[in-house]
Amino acid sequence: MDDLKFGTRDKRGNWRPYEPLENAPILVWPWSITKFLRWLPGYFFPWNALLFGIAAVFWFFMTPSRETMQDLAWGWPLYLLLRNAGLIVLFYGFLELRLYIKRRQGTSFKYNAKFPADHPSEVFMFKSQNIDNIIRTFGTGLPIWTAYEVLLLWAWSNEVGPWAVLSVHPVWLLFLGLILPIFHEFHFYCIHRLIHTPFLYKWVHSVHHNSINPSPWSSLSMHPVEHLLYWSGTLIHLLIPSHPLLLLYHLQLSGTGAVVGHVGFDKLEAGSDTAVTTHAYAHYLHHKYFEVNYADGTMPLDRWMGTWHDGTPEGDDKMKERFQRKKAKANATKETTLAE
């Protein structure tokens, strides 16, 4: 595919789409039923539908029986850890192999024309972004992901929490399943703003932001404290009526689904004239500029808080103006403190 039909490339080879990023037409006013219906298929396909499908396969075929999970023995948690690790190896590994090792697309639709493997850096273990990201993913990311899963499945098995039954509460569980991606983004925004506070950024979140030019293995490359906060949203299933299938879907949204925002390409080519849109640009801009797009745009949280970047040159100008105002305010405060 010719990516220049969809965007432009600067002198460094970095690509950006022509169309500005827009928030999902859910809480944007004036509300339009036409825009909402046009947007709705993209909410389900391909990513949320794929992640729900993985959750369904896990629940029906790859999760131990309720009786087994009533006891916190070592066997079944270790099995879940290996199951989750296998999925990540397949999913992340496929994207990394295709896009970053074999480079089948080259730099077509690639936001940052550089490939991390070509640029060793002292900020990473062994000077390698990939090695560093993989160690952090498997060292603390997957164990903490699995620990949340074990805790919540054990709670369901022992009737701890207000778990619901599909045959009794079908409408509520359907509604919950439909809004889980929105809730996940809302929770992500809240903890994301928290870990951008100076102390937590320096000691926790800076680990993830070392990957300024993210690739698939950057998705779950975080400090353990961030991992704990990141998956804490799944505790909602202990507070409201839910179902283990929806719990697994929630874990897929935050675990496997994290790769969607870190793949580094706007489209994944699937043929000479077809491609799958990643919706990765909003989060890529966050990795590039740090203080924009704390959420991915399904909810207009960044727009409300003045941190939205739509990916256009005009968006660059608004961001620079905001940074200048912030700097001027900080300098004024510093001068006042010194004068006192």
Side-chain angles (χ1 to χ4, degrees), residues 50-66:
L50 173 62
L51 296 171
F52 184 82
I54 294 172
V57 170
F58 274 19
W59 173 241
F60 290 111
F61 303 106
M62 301 180 70
T63 297
S65 67
R66 186 168 194 163

Side-chain angles (χ1 to χ4, degrees), residues 16-30:
R16 73 159 80 196
Y18 287 130
E19 295 295 324
L21 288 171
E22 295 184 359
N23 294 118
I26 302 174
L27 298 176
V28 176
W29 308 107

Side-chain angles (χ1 to χ4, degrees), residues 54-55 57-59 62-64 69 72 76-85 87 141-157 163 231-232 234-235 237-238 244-245 247-252 254-256:
I54 294 172
V57 170
F58 274 19
W59 173 241
M62 301 180 70
T63 297
M69 296 189 294
L72 285 175
W76 67 273
L78 180 59
Y79 164 74
L80 294 183
L81 176 63
L82 294 175
R83 182 199 68 183
N84 294 339
L87 173 65
L142 277 157
I144 291 173
W145 166 358
T146 306
Y148 272 101
E149 184 174 357
V150 168
L151 169 67
L152 290 161
L153 287 175
W154 173 88
W156 170 75
S157 299
W163 298 94
W231 271 292
S232 65
T234 58
L235 295 177
H237 297 275
L238 291 177
L245 173 57
L247 162 64
L248 295 182
Y249 177 38
H250 198 163
L251 288 164
Q252 288 302 314
S254 49
T256 310

Side-chain angles (χ1 to χ4, degrees), residues 29-281:
W29 308 107
W31 193 77
S32 169
I33 184 64
T34 303
K35 289 183 178 180
F36 177 77
L37 292 175
R38 195 180 302 139
W39 163 85
L40 197 57
Y43 177 69
F44 296 110
F45 301 101
W47 301 111
N48 287 339
L50 173 62
L51 296 171
F52 184 82
I54 294 172
V57 170
F58 274 19
W59 173 241
F60 290 111
F61 303 106
M62 301 180 70
T63 297
S65 67
R66 186 168 194 163
E67 292 74 19
T68 299
M69 296 189 294
Q70 286 176 345
D71 297 318
L72 285 175
W74 282 102
W76 67 273
L78 180 59
Y79 164 74
L80 294 183
L81 176 63
L82 294 175
R83 182 199 68 183
N84 294 339
L87 173 65
I88 291 303
V89 168
L90 290 173
F91 206 80
Y92 288 22
F94 168 75
L95 291 171
E96 185 75 34
L97 179 65
R98 186 177 189 276
L99 298 171
Y100 286 85
I101 297 177
K102 293 189 175 182
R103 304 183 185 181
R104 291 287 174 82
Q105 281 190 210
T107 58
S108 181
F109 295 106
K110 191 173 190 303
Y111 304 127
N112 188 319
K114 296 179 180 179
F115 287 87
D118 298 338
H119 301 276
S121 172
E122 294 286 349
V123 302
F124 299 112
M125 288 183 273
F126 308 103
K127 297 183 181 181
S128 168
Q129 178 172 311
N130 259 0
I131 293 176
D132 183 280
N133 290 173
I134 290 170
I135 289 173
R136 294 184 187 281
T137 296
F138 287 93
T140 58
L142 277 157
I144 291 173
W145 166 358
T146 306
Y148 272 101
E149 184 174 357
V150 168
L151 169 67
L152 290 161
L153 287 175
W154 173 88
W156 170 75
S157 299
N158 289 278
E159 299 183 357
V160 176
W163 298 94
V165 178
L166 181 59
S167 60
V168 179
H169 303 98
V171 175
W172 163 252
L173 291 177
L174 175 62
F175 171 74
L176 180 59
L178 290 174
I179 67 167
L180 267 182
I182 298 173
F183 172 78
H184 166 64
E185 182 169 329
F186 175 75
H187 172 266
F188 174 66
Y189 175 85
C190 293
I191 63 105
H192 203 178
R193 290 306 300 257
L194 173 65
I195 56 181
H196 266 266
T197 54
F199 178 81
L200 288 176
Y201 183 85
K202 179 179 179 180
W203 296 106
V204 175
H205 193 45
S206 59
V207 169
H208 185 65
H209 268 288
N210 285 337
S211 302
I212 296 174
N213 180 15
S215 65
W217 286 114
S218 306
S219 308
L220 297 179
S221 176
M222 306 173 189
H223 188 282
V225 171
E226 183 170 354
H227 283 134
L228 286 168
L229 291 170
Y230 182 63
W231 271 292
S232 65
T234 58
L235 295 177
I236 191 70
H237 297 275
L238 291 177
L239 302 177
I240 63 173
S242 185
H243 187 279
L245 173 57
L246 296 183
L247 162 64
L248 295 182
Y249 177 38
H250 198 163
L251 288 164
Q252 288 302 314
L253 289 168
S254 49
T256 310
V259 75
V260 177
H262 297 86
V263 71
F265 287 76
D266 196 71
K267 298 182 187 297
L268 306 181
E269 294 179 352
S272 59
D273 58 353
T274 57
V276 177
T277 300
T278 65
H279 305 292
Y281 195 39

